[in-house]
């Protein structure tokens, strides 16, 4: 049995060697015309490699800028932040900062809108509104924390919501029209949007998104009452006209001078 196995092993080696020689002959036949122009396989491989690197670099650069509108201080901090975002993506100021934050947002036929000061943390809003039919909107000061709102594809997240590590992550990859109300789902729990990173909670996400609460106007202090005007002094009383009697009790004589 061992002799038969050794025989077959040598046979396999011989067959492989013959196939290898045949492949070399085939390659030489194909590259022979090129070699006449002093072009070797090593040269061809080098140029192919350089072209591949250039195309990859151009693709990565276009991924960061193509159809991506960003506000001030957005998409500036973290590895691959906003990489591949495009299609239809609008990012407000000071948003999408962190490793892979907003990576691929609105790409491949999708749509993504991020309000100001949102999607901050590693993988925050990664894949937001990604893919054909994707349409996601994140309000202001929302989705703050690592993996917050990760791969949220379709729906709306209100202001001040989904702010904790893995908050709203359980909603990932869903094409249901999900609505997270303002100032909600800021922790994991049974009555929240998510019990855990991969299990939904009991909060109703059917929508629609209610208007954001507005702060009651600050009570204006009562306007100061006009300063009381002091009564102007009454004009000097003039005695009534008529005839008077003057009683003289004493007379003092002084030297007179002629004026």
């Amino acid at each position: 049995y061992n002799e038969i196995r050794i025989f077959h092993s040598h046979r396999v080696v011989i067959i492989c060697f013959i196939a290898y020689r045949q492949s070399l002959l085939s390659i030489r036949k194909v590259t022979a015309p090129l070699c006449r122009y002093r072009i070797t396989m090593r040269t061809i491989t080098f140029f192919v490699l350089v072209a591949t690197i250039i195309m990859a670099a151009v693709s990565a650069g276009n991924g960061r800028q193509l159809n991506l509108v960003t506000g001030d201080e957005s998409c500036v901090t973290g590895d691959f932040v906003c990489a591949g975002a495009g299609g239809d993506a609008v990012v407000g100021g000071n948003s999408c900062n962190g490793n892979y934050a907003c990576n691929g947002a609105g790409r491949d036929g999708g749509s993504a809108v991020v309000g100001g000061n949102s999607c901050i943390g590693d993988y925050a809003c990664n894949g937001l509104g990604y893919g054909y039919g994707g349409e996601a909107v994140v309000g202001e000061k929302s989705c703050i924390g690592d993996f917050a709102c990760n791969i949220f594809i379709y729906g709306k997240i209100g202001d001040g919501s989904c702010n904790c590590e893995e908050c709203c992550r359980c909603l990932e990859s869903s094409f249901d029209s999900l609505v997270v109300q303002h100032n909600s789902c800021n922790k994991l729990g049974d009555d929240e949007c998510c019990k855990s990173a991969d299990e939904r909670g009991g909060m109703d996400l059917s929508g629609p998104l209610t208007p954001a609460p507005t702060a009651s106007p600050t009570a204006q202090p009562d306007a100061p009452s006009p300063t009381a005007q002091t009564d102007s002094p009454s004009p000097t009383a003039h005695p009534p006209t008529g005839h008077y009697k003057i009683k003289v009790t004493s007379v003092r004589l002084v030297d007179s001078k002629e004026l």
Side-chain angles (χ1 to χ4, degrees):
Y1 173 76
N2 291 333
E3 292 178 357
I4 295 174
R5 186 173 62 180
I6 293 172
F7 172 76
H8 283 291
S9 298
H10 285 292
R11 191 175 180 182
V12 170
V13 171
I14 293 172
I15 292 173
C16 291
F17 178 75
I18 293 173
Y20 175 72
R21 288 295 301 273
Q22 288 297 115
S23 64
L24 288 179
L25 290 175
S26 299
I27 293 174
R28 287 175 181 175
K29 288 180 181 179
V30 174
T31 59
L34 299 177
C35 292
R36 294 175 185 174
Y37 298 97
R38 298 180 180 178
I39 299 177
T40 64
M41 288 298 296
R42 181 177 297 178
T43 304
I44 295 172
T45 303
F46 172 76
F47 280 110
V48 170
L49 180 61
V50 171
T52 302
I53 293 174
I54 293 174
M55 291 177 64
V58 171
S59 177
N62 288 339
R64 284 179 177 269
Q65 302 298 332
L66 183 63
N67 297 325
L68 173 64
V69 180
T70 62
D72 295 337
E73 301 301 322
S74 296
C75 301
V76 295
T77 304
D79 296 334
F80 297 98
V81 57
C82 296
D88 185 8
V90 179
V91 179
N94 195 33
S95 297
C96 295
N97 286 315
N99 296 326
Y100 292 90
C102 300
N103 179 39
R107 187 176 175 179
D108 292 348
S111 172
V113 177
V114 179
N117 300 289
S118 296
C119 300
I120 300 173
D122 293 348
Y123 291 89
C125 301
N126 173 47
L128 184 73
Y130 176 85
Y132 182 77
E135 184 178 346
V137 177
V138 174
E140 296 184 353
K141 299 180 180 179
S142 296
C143 301
I144 301 174
D146 293 347
F147 291 96
C149 310
N150 184 53
I151 317 182
F152 184 79
I153 295 178
Y154 194 84
K156 297 179 180 180
I157 296 175
D159 299 340
S161 299
C162 301
N163 291 327
C164 74
E165 183 175 342
E166 296 188 331
C167 267
C168 300
R169 187 180 182 183
C170 71
L171 309 180
E172 66 183 23
S173 303
S174 174
F175 275 90
D176 297 331
S177 181
L178 303 176
V179 176
V180 179
Q181 299 296 336
H182 301 289
N183 302 311
S184 62
C185 300
N186 289 317
K187 61 181 180 179
L188 302 176
D190 293 341
D191 297 327
E192 301 293 332
C193 294
C194 300
K195 292 182 180 180
S196 63
D198 55 4
E199 185 179 3
R200 290 196 188 184
M203 184 171 288
D204 181 18
L205 303 176
S206 59
L209 185 65
T210 58
T214 56
S216 58
T218 304
Q220 297 295 328
D222 294 334
S225 58
T227 305
Q229 299 294 329
T230 57
D231 294 334
S232 57
S234 58
T236 305
H238 295 284
T241 58
H243 299 281
Y244 295 90
K245 291 181 179 180
I246 300 175
K247 183 180 179 180
V248 178
T249 58
S250 65
V251 176
R252 184 181 178 184
L253 299 177
V254 295
D255 294 337
S256 63
K257 294 183 179 180
E258 185 179 64
L259 298 176

